[in-house]
Amino acid sequence: MFRWPRMLLLAACCGCLPTAAPHPQPVAARHVMSQLVRAQSTQLIDSLSVAPSSDAEWDRSAAHATLLAEAGNILLRPGAVVDESWQLAATTLRNGSQQTRTAIAERDLSGARAGVETLRQSCATCHRDCGAAARLPWD
């Protein structure tokens, strides 16, 4: 009568039940940098070079900042952090992107540009300290 629960418990204890598949590793950091961070930072800088004139333009700027924040999260995933300098740069990328996103949501152009400056500093610091030889988006 209570056979199935006992069998299920026994199977679980001996490891016979299937386990969840491990999460696949995200793409390599160099791809995140070249294909996500570079593209989104360039578009964000361009979108804020003049004041956005419509809700759609503000929304596009916000999307760029959001994707940059997520790139920071990817670069901070377990196993991706190379050293403290890397962690600091990726954290600053994420936080600066969130700061920029908040300013954009408030339609605060000067605050958004200040957030972009934080991003510039993060990128420049990482390229200097982590040995990234790639050209920065605003060079």
Side-chain angles (χ1 to χ4, degrees), residues 26-52:
V27 297
R30 71 178 184 277
H31 297 294
V32 172
M33 298 305 296
S34 67
Q35 298 167 0
L36 180 58
V37 173
R38 176 182 298 280
Q40 295 305 315
S41 60
T42 299
Q43 291 179 36
L44 178 63
I45 291 166
D46 290 347
S47 74
L48 296 174
S49 62
V50 295

PDB file of all heavy atoms in Angstrom, residues 26-52:
ATOM      1  N   PRO A  26      27.701  30.897 -19.600  1.00  0.00           N
ATOM      2  CA  PRO A  26      27.438  31.984 -20.536  1.00  0.00           C
ATOM      3  C   PRO A  26      28.622  32.141 -21.491  1.00  0.00           C
ATOM      4  O   PRO A  26      29.668  31.526 -21.303  1.00  0.00           O
ATOM      5  CB  PRO A  26      27.306  33.216 -19.649  1.00  0.00           C
ATOM      6  CG  PRO A  26      27.147  32.706 -18.269  1.00  0.00           C
ATOM      7  CD  PRO A  26      27.768  31.342 -18.235  1.00  0.00           C
ATOM      8  N   VAL A  27      28.443  32.967 -22.451  1.00  0.00           N
ATOM      9  CA  VAL A  27      29.504  33.192 -23.436  1.00  0.00           C
ATOM     10  C   VAL A  27      30.750  33.744 -22.746  1.00  0.00           C
ATOM     11  O   VAL A  27      30.685  34.256 -21.625  1.00  0.00           O
ATOM     12  CB  VAL A  27      29.042  34.155 -24.544  1.00  0.00           C
ATOM     13  CG1 VAL A  27      27.898  33.557 -25.325  1.00  0.00           C
ATOM     14  CG2 VAL A  27      28.635  35.499 -23.975  1.00  0.00           C
ATOM     15  N   ALA A  28      31.864  33.645 -23.415  1.00  0.00           N
ATOM     16  CA  ALA A  28      33.138  34.115 -22.874  1.00  0.00           C
ATOM     17  C   ALA A  28      33.101  35.625 -22.649  1.00  0.00           C
ATOM     18  O   ALA A  28      32.418  36.357 -23.371  1.00  0.00           O
ATOM     19  CB  ALA A  28      34.268  33.758 -23.825  1.00  0.00           C
ATOM     20  N   ALA A  29      33.871  36.071 -21.670  1.00  0.00           N
ATOM     21  CA  ALA A  29      33.910  37.499 -21.329  1.00  0.00           C
ATOM     22  C   ALA A  29      34.312  38.353 -22.525  1.00  0.00           C
ATOM     23  O   ALA A  29      33.766  39.443 -22.725  1.00  0.00           O
ATOM     24  CB  ALA A  29      34.859  37.737 -20.164  1.00  0.00           C
ATOM     25  N   ARG A  30      35.226  37.862 -23.345  1.00  0.00           N
ATOM     26  CA  ARG A  30      35.659  38.672 -24.486  1.00  0.00           C
ATOM     27  C   ARG A  30      34.506  38.916 -25.461  1.00  0.00           C
ATOM     28  O   ARG A  30      34.432  39.961 -26.082  1.00  0.00           O
ATOM     29  CB  ARG A  30      36.855  38.034 -25.189  1.00  0.00           C
ATOM     30  CG  ARG A  30      36.566  36.785 -25.951  1.00  0.00           C
ATOM     31  CD  ARG A  30      37.838  36.262 -26.660  1.00  0.00           C
ATOM     32  NE  ARG A  30      37.549  35.123 -27.468  1.00  0.00           N
ATOM     33  CZ  ARG A  30      37.463  33.879 -27.021  1.00  0.00           C
ATOM     34  NH1 ARG A  30      37.661  33.630 -25.741  1.00  0.00           N
ATOM     35  NH2 ARG A  30      37.185  32.888 -27.826  1.00  0.00           N
ATOM     36  N   HIS A  31      33.581  37.947 -25.568  1.00  0.00           N
ATOM     37  CA  HIS A  31      32.417  38.129 -26.429  1.00  0.00           C
ATOM     38  C   HIS A  31      31.419  39.090 -25.795  1.00  0.00           C
ATOM     39  O   HIS A  31      30.804  39.897 -26.497  1.00  0.00           O
ATOM     40  CB  HIS A  31      31.752  36.798 -26.743  1.00  0.00           C
ATOM     41  CG  HIS A  31      32.628  35.870 -27.509  1.00  0.00           C
ATOM     42  ND1 HIS A  31      33.048  36.121 -28.791  1.00  0.00           N
ATOM     43  CD2 HIS A  31      33.194  34.688 -27.156  1.00  0.00           C
ATOM     44  CE1 HIS A  31      33.820  35.143 -29.208  1.00  0.00           C
ATOM     45  NE2 HIS A  31      33.932  34.261 -28.222  1.00  0.00           N
ATOM     46  N   VAL A  32      31.258  38.993 -24.485  1.00  0.00           N
ATOM     47  CA  VAL A  32      30.376  39.937 -23.783  1.00  0.00           C
ATOM     48  C   VAL A  32      30.892  41.355 -24.010  1.00  0.00           C
ATOM     49  O   VAL A  32      30.123  42.270 -24.320  1.00  0.00           O
ATOM     50  CB  VAL A  32      30.306  39.616 -22.274  1.00  0.00           C
ATOM     51  CG1 VAL A  32      29.549  40.703 -21.517  1.00  0.00           C
ATOM     52  CG2 VAL A  32      29.658  38.261 -22.051  1.00  0.00           C
ATOM     53  N   MET A  33      32.208  41.513 -23.891  1.00  0.00           N
ATOM     54  CA  MET A  33      32.793  42.844 -24.046  1.00  0.00           C
ATOM     55  C   MET A  33      32.685  43.349 -25.484  1.00  0.00           C
ATOM     56  O   MET A  33      32.257  44.472 -25.716  1.00  0.00           O
ATOM     57  CB  MET A  33      34.259  42.835 -23.606  1.00  0.00           C
ATOM     58  CG  MET A  33      34.461  42.485 -22.149  1.00  0.00           C
ATOM     59  SD  MET A  33      33.536  43.531 -21.013  1.00  0.00           S
ATOM     60  CE  MET A  33      34.288  45.093 -21.341  1.00  0.00           C
ATOM     61  N   SER A  34      33.055  42.518 -26.441  1.00  0.00           N
ATOM     62  CA  SER A  34      33.103  42.993 -27.824  1.00  0.00           C
ATOM     63  C   SER A  34      31.730  43.096 -28.469  1.00  0.00           C
ATOM     64  O   SER A  34      31.509  43.978 -29.297  1.00  0.00           O
ATOM     65  CB  SER A  34      34.005  42.088 -28.667  1.00  0.00           C
ATOM     66  OG  SER A  34      33.439  40.799 -28.799  1.00  0.00           O
ATOM     67  N   GLN A  35      30.816  42.223 -28.092  1.00  0.00           N
ATOM     68  CA  GLN A  35      29.540  42.181 -28.794  1.00  0.00           C
ATOM     69  C   GLN A  35      28.380  42.780 -28.015  1.00  0.00           C
ATOM     70  O   GLN A  35      27.344  43.074 -28.605  1.00  0.00           O
ATOM     71  CB  GLN A  35      29.219  40.733 -29.173  1.00  0.00           C
ATOM     72  CG  GLN A  35      30.259  40.175 -30.121  1.00  0.00           C
ATOM     73  CD  GLN A  35      30.170  38.673 -30.286  1.00  0.00           C
ATOM     74  OE1 GLN A  35      29.322  38.018 -29.691  1.00  0.00           O
ATOM     75  NE2 GLN A  35      31.060  38.124 -31.090  1.00  0.00           N
ATOM     76  N   LEU A  36      28.539  42.966 -26.727  1.00  0.00           N
ATOM     77  CA  LEU A  36      27.459  43.545 -25.931  1.00  0.00           C
ATOM     78  C   LEU A  36      27.867  44.893 -25.349  1.00  0.00           C
ATOM     79  O   LEU A  36      27.231  45.906 -25.637  1.00  0.00           O
ATOM     80  CB  LEU A  36      27.049  42.569 -24.817  1.00  0.00           C
ATOM     81  CG  LEU A  36      25.925  43.006 -23.881  1.00  0.00           C
ATOM     82  CD1 LEU A  36      24.650  43.300 -24.668  1.00  0.00           C
ATOM     83  CD2 LEU A  36      25.647  41.934 -22.844  1.00  0.00           C
ATOM     84  N   VAL A  37      28.938  44.910 -24.575  1.00  0.00           N
ATOM     85  CA  VAL A  37      29.331  46.154 -23.910  1.00  0.00           C
ATOM     86  C   VAL A  37      29.724  47.219 -24.930  1.00  0.00           C
ATOM     87  O   VAL A  37      29.254  48.357 -24.858  1.00  0.00           O
ATOM     88  CB  VAL A  37      30.469  45.911 -22.892  1.00  0.00           C
ATOM     89  CG1 VAL A  37      30.984  47.227 -22.322  1.00  0.00           C
ATOM     90  CG2 VAL A  37      29.978  45.001 -21.779  1.00  0.00           C
ATOM     91  N   ARG A  38      30.557  46.866 -25.890  1.00  0.00           N
ATOM     92  CA  ARG A  38      30.988  47.854 -26.885  1.00  0.00           C
ATOM     93  C   ARG A  38      29.783  48.409 -27.657  1.00  0.00           C
ATOM     94  O   ARG A  38      29.619  49.607 -27.798  1.00  0.00           O
ATOM     95  CB  ARG A  38      31.990  47.267 -27.864  1.00  0.00           C
ATOM     96  CG  ARG A  38      32.384  48.255 -28.967  1.00  0.00           C
ATOM     97  CD  ARG A  38      33.341  47.668 -29.965  1.00  0.00           C
ATOM     98  NE  ARG A  38      34.602  47.286 -29.375  1.00  0.00           N
ATOM     99  CZ  ARG A  38      35.586  48.144 -29.097  1.00  0.00           C
ATOM    100  NH1 ARG A  38      35.438  49.408 -29.359  1.00  0.00           N
ATOM    101  NH2 ARG A  38      36.702  47.721 -28.554  1.00  0.00           N
ATOM    102  N   ALA A  39      28.934  47.526 -28.144  1.00  0.00           N
ATOM    103  CA  ALA A  39      27.784  47.968 -28.940  1.00  0.00           C
ATOM    104  C   ALA A  39      26.824  48.825 -28.124  1.00  0.00           C
ATOM    105  O   ALA A  39      26.405  49.901 -28.570  1.00  0.00           O
ATOM    106  CB  ALA A  39      27.053  46.759 -29.516  1.00  0.00           C
ATOM    107  N   GLN A  40      26.495  48.373 -26.924  1.00  0.00           N
ATOM    108  CA  GLN A  40      25.522  49.107 -26.121  1.00  0.00           C
ATOM    109  C   GLN A  40      26.088  50.427 -25.590  1.00  0.00           C
ATOM    110  O   GLN A  40      25.377  51.424 -25.526  1.00  0.00           O
ATOM    111  CB  GLN A  40      25.008  48.240 -24.971  1.00  0.00           C
ATOM    112  CG  GLN A  40      24.223  47.033 -25.432  1.00  0.00           C
ATOM    113  CD  GLN A  40      23.070  47.394 -26.345  1.00  0.00           C
ATOM    114  OE1 GLN A  40      22.309  48.333 -26.087  1.00  0.00           O
ATOM    115  NE2 GLN A  40      22.926  46.653 -27.424  1.00  0.00           N
ATOM    116  N   SER A  41      27.365  50.435 -25.213  1.00  0.00           N
ATOM    117  CA  SER A  41      27.941  51.691 -24.710  1.00  0.00           C
ATOM    118  C   SER A  41      28.037  52.716 -25.834  1.00  0.00           C
ATOM    119  O   SER A  41      27.751  53.900 -25.631  1.00  0.00           O
ATOM    120  CB  SER A  41      29.300  51.445 -24.050  1.00  0.00           C
ATOM    121  OG  SER A  41      30.216  50.896 -24.972  1.00  0.00           O
ATOM    122  N   THR A  42      28.412  52.272 -27.033  1.00  0.00           N
ATOM    123  CA  THR A  42      28.473  53.192 -28.173  1.00  0.00           C
ATOM    124  C   THR A  42      27.097  53.775 -28.459  1.00  0.00           C
ATOM    125  O   THR A  42      26.945  54.989 -28.646  1.00  0.00           O
ATOM    126  CB  THR A  42      29.016  52.463 -29.424  1.00  0.00           C
ATOM    127  OG1 THR A  42      30.335  51.994 -29.135  1.00  0.00           O
ATOM    128  CG2 THR A  42      29.053  53.372 -30.632  1.00  0.00           C
ATOM    129  N   GLN A  43      26.078  52.913 -28.469  1.00  0.00           N
ATOM    130  CA  GLN A  43      24.730  53.392 -28.751  1.00  0.00           C
ATOM    131  C   GLN A  43      24.195  54.282 -27.631  1.00  0.00           C
ATOM    132  O   GLN A  43      23.481  55.255 -27.892  1.00  0.00           O
ATOM    133  CB  GLN A  43      23.806  52.209 -29.009  1.00  0.00           C
ATOM    134  CG  GLN A  43      24.143  51.499 -30.311  1.00  0.00           C
ATOM    135  CD  GLN A  43      23.252  50.319 -30.581  1.00  0.00           C
ATOM    136  OE1 GLN A  43      22.069  50.343 -30.271  1.00  0.00           O
ATOM    137  NE2 GLN A  43      23.824  49.267 -31.157  1.00  0.00           N
ATOM    138  N   LEU A  44      24.548  53.958 -26.386  1.00  0.00           N
ATOM    139  CA  LEU A  44      24.111  54.798 -25.262  1.00  0.00           C
ATOM    140  C   LEU A  44      24.742  56.174 -25.355  1.00  0.00           C
ATOM    141  O   LEU A  44      24.055  57.196 -25.205  1.00  0.00           O
ATOM    142  CB  LEU A  44      24.463  54.133 -23.927  1.00  0.00           C
ATOM    143  CG  LEU A  44      24.101  54.924 -22.674  1.00  0.00           C
ATOM    144  CD1 LEU A  44      22.590  55.132 -22.581  1.00  0.00           C
ATOM    145  CD2 LEU A  44      24.618  54.211 -21.435  1.00  0.00           C
ATOM    146  N   ILE A  45      26.041  56.221 -25.608  1.00  0.00           N
ATOM    147  CA  ILE A  45      26.738  57.510 -25.735  1.00  0.00           C
ATOM    148  C   ILE A  45      26.123  58.322 -26.868  1.00  0.00           C
ATOM    149  O   ILE A  45      25.836  59.513 -26.704  1.00  0.00           O
ATOM    150  CB  ILE A  45      28.246  57.278 -25.951  1.00  0.00           C
ATOM    151  CG1 ILE A  45      28.874  56.726 -24.663  1.00  0.00           C
ATOM    152  CG2 ILE A  45      28.942  58.562 -26.381  1.00  0.00           C
ATOM    153  CD1 ILE A  45      30.259  56.139 -24.851  1.00  0.00           C
ATOM    154  N   ASP A  46      25.894  57.680 -28.009  1.00  0.00           N
ATOM    155  CA  ASP A  46      25.288  58.381 -29.148  1.00  0.00           C
ATOM    156  C   ASP A  46      23.883  58.870 -28.825  1.00  0.00           C
ATOM    157  O   ASP A  46      23.503  59.988 -29.197  1.00  0.00           O
ATOM    158  CB  ASP A  46      25.237  57.470 -30.375  1.00  0.00           C
ATOM    159  CG  ASP A  46      26.605  57.191 -30.969  1.00  0.00           C
ATOM    160  OD1 ASP A  46      27.581  57.884 -30.589  1.00  0.00           O
ATOM    161  OD2 ASP A  46      26.700  56.264 -31.800  1.00  0.00           O
ATOM    162  N   SER A  47      23.104  58.052 -28.115  1.00  0.00           N
ATOM    163  CA  SER A  47      21.716  58.419 -27.825  1.00  0.00           C
ATOM    164  C   SER A  47      21.605  59.584 -26.851  1.00  0.00           C
ATOM    165  O   SER A  47      20.580  60.268 -26.819  1.00  0.00           O
ATOM    166  CB  SER A  47      20.939  57.215 -27.292  1.00  0.00           C
ATOM    167  OG  SER A  47      21.304  56.912 -25.961  1.00  0.00           O
ATOM    168  N   LEU A  48      22.655  59.811 -26.059  1.00  0.00           N
ATOM    169  CA  LEU A  48      22.628  60.908 -25.091  1.00  0.00           C
ATOM    170  C   LEU A  48      23.496  62.080 -25.513  1.00  0.00           C
ATOM    171  O   LEU A  48      23.678  63.031 -24.753  1.00  0.00           O
ATOM    172  CB  LEU A  48      23.065  60.397 -23.713  1.00  0.00           C
ATOM    173  CG  LEU A  48      22.151  59.354 -23.076  1.00  0.00           C
ATOM    174  CD1 LEU A  48      22.767  58.810 -21.795  1.00  0.00           C
ATOM    175  CD2 LEU A  48      20.762  59.926 -22.826  1.00  0.00           C
ATOM    176  N   SER A  49      24.025  62.041 -26.747  1.00  0.00           N
ATOM    177  CA  SER A  49      24.855  63.163 -27.220  1.00  0.00           C
ATOM    178  C   SER A  49      24.013  64.420 -27.395  1.00  0.00           C
ATOM    179  O   SER A  49      24.516  65.537 -27.276  1.00  0.00           O
ATOM    180  CB  SER A  49      25.570  62.793 -28.519  1.00  0.00           C
ATOM    181  OG  SER A  49      24.624  62.526 -29.537  1.00  0.00           O
ATOM    182  N   VAL A  50      22.742  64.245 -27.681  1.00  0.00           N
ATOM    183  CA  VAL A  50      21.760  65.338 -27.680  1.00  0.00           C
ATOM    184  C   VAL A  50      20.581  64.851 -26.835  1.00  0.00           C
ATOM    185  O   VAL A  50      20.397  63.650 -26.669  1.00  0.00           O
ATOM    186  CB  VAL A  50      21.278  65.716 -29.108  1.00  0.00           C
ATOM    187  CG1 VAL A  50      22.421  66.276 -29.931  1.00  0.00           C
ATOM    188  CG2 VAL A  50      20.655  64.529 -29.806  1.00  0.00           C
ATOM    189  N   ALA A  51      19.800  65.768 -26.340  1.00  0.00           N
ATOM    190  CA  ALA A  51      18.673  65.386 -25.493  1.00  0.00           C
ATOM    191  C   ALA A  51      17.657  64.581 -26.295  1.00  0.00           C
ATOM    192  O   ALA A  51      17.235  65.015 -27.371  1.00  0.00           O
ATOM    193  CB  ALA A  51      18.003  66.632 -24.919  1.00  0.00           C
ATOM    194  N   PRO A  52      17.283  63.407 -25.798  1.00  0.00           N
ATOM    195  CA  PRO A  52      16.227  62.653 -26.482  1.00  0.00           C
ATOM    196  C   PRO A  52      14.957  63.509 -26.554  1.00  0.00           C
ATOM    197  O   PRO A  52      14.607  64.197 -25.600  1.00  0.00           O
ATOM    198  CB  PRO A  52      16.027  61.428 -25.591  1.00  0.00           C
ATOM    199  CG  PRO A  52      17.345  61.262 -24.893  1.00  0.00           C
ATOM    200  CD  PRO A  52      17.827  62.661 -24.662  1.00  0.00           C
TER     201      PRO A  52
END
